[in-house]
Amino acid sequence: MAAAGLTYAVGMVAVTPAVVSRFRDATAGSDTSENFISVVWLISALALVLALLVLALFLVLGIALRRGNRLARAVTLGVCGLGILGGCGTLVVLAVQRSGEAAPGSLGEALNEAYPEGWIVLNVVVAVAQLIAYLGVGVLLLAAPGEFFGRTVPAGTALPGFVPPSQIVASTTEWAAPQSQPFVTGRSEPDQFPDQPTPRKSEPNPEDEYWSRP
């Protein structure tokens, strides 16, 4: 969209010198015609500057939207609203201009004749394309999932791939069985492992009694 707008603005600046030349020749150097020429140049220059600013803005908004920025989404929706209003305004102005025939020999007729053939039709096509493009972008943004733009998930909604703790069921074989006997320190410790045999005490050695005397 930004590239199309910039192309249209560059084309307007490109045809302006020829338009001014034909208009000046048709009006024979009238003082009022110079005011029209100044307006034509001003509109062409403003259109080019605005197209460059819109190109930079759309690049920034496009990058921010891909990252899920909520502010960029709101700004883009606002820009789409302005674009739709601008397209409707352009169509209304063109319809008013073409509603009646210019008076023969007037400056308005000379200016219309100075533009290339089909210029008005091109403006109508651009305005309609602008309406469709901005409307399409706005609908896509409104239909986009809110989670992508950082909106919190409602309570009770599980995220993809997330299993609530209440649904986790572990196999009984993977967990240790609860201890059925009280844990007692000291001599009763072997009772915690009844399956293991109790080691047998060694037989008394006669030498032990000798070495144990004072």
Side-chain angles (χ1 to χ4, degrees):
M1 292 170 58
L6 181 60
T7 303
Y8 175 77
V10 171
M12 181 183 294
V13 173
V15 302
T16 298
V19 171
V20 169
S21 178
R22 287 191 292 266
F23 178 69
R24 186 170 287 157
D25 294 340
T27 55
S30 174
D31 295 336
T32 308
S33 63
E34 295 299 325
N35 296 332
F36 278 81
I37 292 173
S38 299
V39 172
V40 170
W41 276 114
L42 180 61
I43 293 176
S44 300
L46 289 178
L48 181 59
V49 173
L50 183 60
L52 292 174
L53 293 177
V54 170
L55 177 62
L57 176 63
F58 281 13
L59 287 176
V60 174
L61 290 178
I63 295 173
L65 287 175
R66 289 179 63 86
R67 296 180 178 179
N69 190 283
R70 297 178 62 184
L71 179 61
R73 184 188 190 189
V75 173
T76 305
L77 288 175
V79 171
C80 289
L82 294 177
I84 293 174
L85 292 178
C88 293
T90 302
L91 290 177
V92 171
V93 171
L94 292 174
V96 171
Q97 288 180 350
R98 306 301 295 179
S99 60
E101 294 293 335
S106 64
L107 294 177
E109 184 188 21
L111 185 59
N112 289 335
E113 294 295 332
Y115 277 98
E117 185 179 357
W119 183 258
I120 300 298
V121 177
L122 177 61
N123 281 268
V124 173
V125 172
V126 170
V128 173
Q130 177 181 351
L131 280 174
I132 297 175
Y134 281 113
L135 184 61
V137 173
V139 171
L140 289 176
L141 284 178
L142 292 176
E147 293 79 5
F148 180 76
F149 292 97
R151 186 177 299 175
T152 56
V153 181
T157 303
L159 295 176
F162 175 76
V163 180
S166 59
Q167 299 182 6
I168 299 177
V169 180
S171 176
T172 55
T173 58
E174 298 179 359
W175 295 85
Q179 185 174 349
S180 59
Q181 299 180 1
F183 183 79
V184 181
T185 59
R187 60 183 178 83
S188 299
E189 289 182 3
D191 296 337
Q192 307 302 324
F193 308 95
D195 298 337
Q196 298 182 0
T198 304
R200 305 177 66 178
K201 295 183 179 180
S202 59
E203 297 294 334
N205 192 346
E207 295 181 358
D208 294 341
E209 182 180 358
Y210 176 80
W211 292 106
S212 61
R213 295 178 183 178

